[in-house]
Amino acid sequence: MNGFLKWFFAFMSEMLQGYAMMFSGIGNGFLKVFNIKMYIQLFKEYSPEFTTASWILSILAIILVVAVYLLFFMLIFMGIRKYLRFRHSIVSNEDLLEEITVLQRRVMKMAKEKDEIMAMKVAQMGGGSLAVPGLSLTADELEGEGAESIQQAAGEDGMVITNDRRFSKLYEVDMFYKNYQPPEYDNEITLEGICERYRYFACYKMHLFYDIKTIRLFIAGMASTKLIILQGISGTGKTSLPYSFGKFLQVDTTIASVQPSWRDRTELFGYFNEFTKNFNETEVLRRIYDSSYNDNVNLILLDEMNIARIEYYFAEMLSILEMPNADEWELDLVPNVWSTDPQNLDHGRLRIPQNIWYIGTANNDDSTYAISDKVYDRAQPINLDAKGVAFEAPETAPLNLSYSHLNALFQEAFEKYPISQENLQKIQQLDLWVIDKLRVAFGNRIIKQMGLFVPVYVACGGEELDGIDYVLATKIFRKFESLNLAMLRDELKELCVYINKSFGKNKMNESIAYLERLQKLF
């Protein structure tokens, strides 16, 4: 045992001496580095031999060494301060997390107390009829004697019996149409008459000057799709067109000013607030619901629609409008049913009526998003690139136009003015040419829309080739912008020659002008 103690003492003594030498060495090193007295003695010893240049260099050397040491100590100081700040932020975050945890516990405790109080109130009511303001809980969500009472009130279909109304605006619509008398509609006017009469009305009443072709395109667009995009430079009357058309039909257009913050459907249709137990209804939702009661031509204007991403806030509606069966055009608003829900709400779902159109205005500048092909394919774009030329118009009264009559005029145009077989063959050949040269296909959706657009455009007073030309330019040749056009200038020139040869020279002016503009831009 004595031998071990002697060895252990010697071992630890040797190790501690090593540590002592290490620390003393570091200390001696620091003393050596910062021995200012020694530096002064060395300077006095050698300075008598200095020349002028030596004095300058020695002073510069001293300044440089001092600067290096100052920089070194500054870096150490900044590092320590940064560490202290980082440590302070960590401590602050830990304190915040602890406070959040405490608050969450309090919220859970209060929620539990609320459930217990609700269960006690329900138990006191007994098994009679239930009318609890704001109550939307089911039997499975409550415990105790109150659960049986809730289940009796809910009924077999799960309807919640309550006196509160979560759709206040839609309820007002229900009340309005209880004693509603529809106006006397003009069921004699033609599509051409609608275009001419609206043009005169906009000029005489509102001092808006639209070319007759623009109005024909607008009406034809309504026949081909429920989404129309008015695009072009500012000041050409994009917003005024749907606004004045609503005034012309004596049914004001609902205007929804799109905001850059719009990210989902709640901005457009509203949402159910679980805290207040009310549905925050928008004017767009109210107009859709209102349209289910009447036979009017209803318009909703999405002003500056591409200031936010259309694919975000309008995604659900884009999908709904693509469904071939109009009976499936439904919006899911709420997951359950209340006894006070609006009459035209079916199990929390709202059916989108056929007598409503969505008109969007779009500017192309740095503050807006590019409209994707997904949106363009489902919409009918109308270009407003020039200001209207003023003209004189006679005094013109507004019109009462029913959706039923307008739809009948569309159906009549489809049967009376279908695209000729000759032009259909030319379109098919053009499709094959474009696929072969540019690897771009038309698609069945665009061909179907063209078959609806062109007959109505002709019924409005236009020419068949003009309608075909406009659809090709705005919905097909527009797709070329996504190609590497700098490498396809020769193909674009060949396409212009092919179009003139196939359809006739000076017949497809819209398409030729657009293709020539692409050649200049790229």
Side-chain angles (χ1 to χ4, degrees):
M1 189 66 179
N2 291 333
F4 167 76
L5 292 175
K6 291 180 180 179
W7 168 82
F8 183 76
F9 178 77
F11 172 72
M12 294 302 297
S13 299
E14 193 71 22
M15 181 182 296
L16 292 175
Q17 288 178 9
Y19 280 115
M21 292 176 63
M22 184 173 62
F23 286 113
S24 64
I26 294 175
N28 292 333
F30 271 103
L31 293 175
K32 189 76 172 178
V33 170
F34 296 103
N35 192 352
I36 307 298
K37 185 177 180 180
M38 180 61 69
Y39 294 151
I40 294 175
Q41 291 178 357
L42 290 173
F43 188 80
K44 290 180 178 180
E45 181 180 350
Y46 291 98
S47 61
E49 301 177 4
F50 284 0
T51 62
T52 303
S54 299
W55 275 99
I56 294 173
L57 291 175
S58 62
I59 293 173
L60 291 176
I62 293 173
I63 293 174
L64 179 62
V65 171
V66 172
V68 170
Y69 279 111
L70 289 175
L71 179 62
F72 176 73
F73 286 115
M74 187 179 295
L75 291 174
I76 293 176
F77 173 74
M78 292 178 63
I80 294 173
R81 188 173 67 171
K82 188 174 182 180
Y83 170 77
L84 292 176
R85 287 181 177 179
F86 177 73
R87 179 61 182 171
H88 178 71
S89 63
I90 291 177
V91 173
S92 300
N93 291 338
E94 290 176 351
D95 292 340
L96 288 175
L97 291 173
E98 185 176 353
E99 291 181 7
I100 292 173
T101 303
V102 172
L103 290 175
Q104 288 178 342
R105 291 173 182 173
R106 291 180 180 177
V107 170
M108 293 176 62
K109 182 178 179 181
M110 293 175 65
K112 183 178 180 181
E113 291 177 353
K114 176 188 172 184
D115 292 342
E116 292 175 352
I117 294 172
M118 182 65 70
M120 292 174 61
K121 288 184 177 181
V122 173
Q124 292 175 359
M125 292 178 183
S129 60
L130 179 63
V132 181
L135 180 61
S136 59
L137 300 172
T138 61
D140 294 336
E141 296 174 300
L142 292 177
E143 299 176 355
E145 300 176 2
E148 183 179 355
S149 177
I150 294 290
Q151 193 171 15
Q152 292 175 1
E156 296 180 357
D157 57 354
M159 178 184 294
V160 177
I161 308 299
T162 176
N163 290 335
D164 282 358
R165 299 189 185 278
R166 52 181 173 178
F167 293 94
S168 56
K169 292 183 179 180
L170 303 191
Y171 174 72
E172 293 176 359
V173 175
D174 287 340
M175 294 298 100
F176 174 78
Y177 280 98
K178 278 191 174 182
N179 300 316
Y180 171 74
Q181 294 293 331
E184 294 184 4
Y185 295 111
D186 185 352
N187 293 327
E188 301 297 330
I189 193 168
T190 63
L191 289 174
E192 188 173 3
I194 294 173
C195 295
E196 294 178 353
R197 187 166 169 178
Y198 164 65
R199 183 168 182 256
Y200 291 149
F201 173 86
C203 174
Y204 183 81
K205 293 287 187 181
M206 311 189 74
H207 305 289
L208 298 172
F209 310 106
Y210 291 108
D211 184 73
I212 187 64
K213 180 180 179 181
T214 301
I215 301 172
R216 290 169 179 166
L217 293 173
F218 184 73
I219 299 296
M222 293 176 65
S224 61
T225 179
K226 294 295 182 181
L227 176 62
I228 299 175
I229 299 177
L230 305 177
Q231 58 188 10
I233 61 176
S234 179
T236 54
K238 298 187 297 296
T239 303
S240 301
L241 177 57
Y243 173 79
S244 59
F245 195 75
K247 293 293 184 183
F248 172 63
L249 300 180
Q250 304 184 73
V251 183
D252 287 348
T253 301
T254 297
I255 300 177
S257 298
V258 178
Q259 302 299 318
S261 60
W262 285 21
R263 292 292 182 270
D264 52 46
R265 54 165 272 176
T266 60
E267 310 289 352
L268 199 61
F269 306 118
Y271 61 93
F272 182 69
N273 191 322
E274 291 286 353
F275 181 73
T276 63
K277 301 301 179 183
N278 289 322
F279 196 96
N280 291 1
E281 303 146 286
T282 63
E283 288 301 316
V284 172
L285 180 66
R286 177 172 181 164
R287 187 56 180 272
I288 295 174
Y289 185 76
D290 182 88
S291 302
S292 64
Y293 273 106
N294 59 54
D295 195 31
N296 299 327
V297 177
N298 298 276
L299 303 180
I300 293 177
L301 172 61
L302 303 175
D303 200 20
E304 299 287 349
M305 71 181 307
N306 63 330
I307 203 169
R309 289 195 179 277
I310 306 170
E311 301 84 353
Y312 290 173
Y313 68 87
F314 207 67
E316 186 170 3
M317 187 59 68
L318 290 175
S319 300
I320 290 174
L321 297 180
E322 280 298 295
M323 295 181 181
N325 186 3
D327 293 335
E328 298 177 356
W329 291 15
E330 292 183 337
L331 277 175
D332 284 322
L333 299 181
V334 287
N336 55 4
V337 181
W338 284 18
S339 59
T340 55
D341 280 349
Q343 296 180 8
N344 287 356
L345 213 61
D346 182 18
H347 291 84
R349 295 188 296 271
L350 175 62
R351 178 171 297 179
I352 307 299
Q354 295 294 297
N355 60 335
I356 191 166
W357 282 264
Y358 305 89
I359 316 298
T361 63
N363 290 320
N364 295 321
D365 53 42
D366 294 337
S367 65
T368 60
Y369 293 95
I371 302 177
S372 64
D373 279 348
K374 174 183 177 180
V375 178
Y376 268 127
D377 286 350
R378 289 161 172 77
Q380 175 56 54
I382 298 177
N383 299 321
L384 298 177
D385 296 323
K387 295 182 179 179
V389 180
F391 61 94
E392 295 292 332
E395 182 177 356
T396 307
L399 175 68
N400 282 323
L401 179 66
S402 68
Y403 165 75
S404 299
H405 181 60
L406 180 63
N407 189 55
L409 292 176
F410 289 162
Q411 298 299 325
E412 180 182 351
F414 299 154
E415 297 177 1
K416 191 174 182 180
Y417 304 107
I419 301 177
S420 64
Q421 290 297 321
E422 179 184 358
N423 285 330
L424 284 176
Q425 292 179 358
K426 293 179 180 178
I427 294 171
Q428 293 174 356
Q429 294 172 357
L430 177 63
D431 186 15
L432 296 176
W433 192 96
V434 171
I435 292 175
D436 181 54
K437 299 290 185 179
L438 300 172
R439 299 295 187 270
V440 176
F442 290 5
N444 295 330
R445 182 190 293 113
I446 295 177
I447 298 298
K448 178 182 177 181
Q449 290 178 355
M450 183 186 293
L452 302 175
F453 180 92
V454 174
V456 175
Y457 182 79
V458 174
C460 290
E463 298 292 333
E464 181 177 296
L465 277 180
D466 288 343
I468 296 174
D469 178 30
Y470 197 83
V471 175
L472 291 177
T474 57
K475 294 186 69 66
I476 297 176
F477 297 152
R478 182 201 56 77
K479 294 178 179 291
F480 294 172
E481 294 182 8
S482 61
L483 304 176
N484 186 4
L485 295 177
M487 306 296 294
L488 298 174
R489 291 182 177 178
D490 294 338
E491 285 79 358
L492 293 179
K493 292 179 181 179
E494 291 181 24
L495 179 57
C496 292
V497 173
Y498 180 85
I499 291 174
N500 284 327
K501 183 178 179 181
S502 180
F503 293 94
K505 195 171 183 180
N506 298 325
K507 295 292 185 181
M508 308 290 282
N509 297 324
E510 195 85 30
S511 298
I512 297 298
Y514 182 76
L515 293 173
E516 290 177 348
R517 186 161 63 251
L518 289 181
Q519 295 177 49
K520 294 178 182 178
L521 291 176
F522 298 93

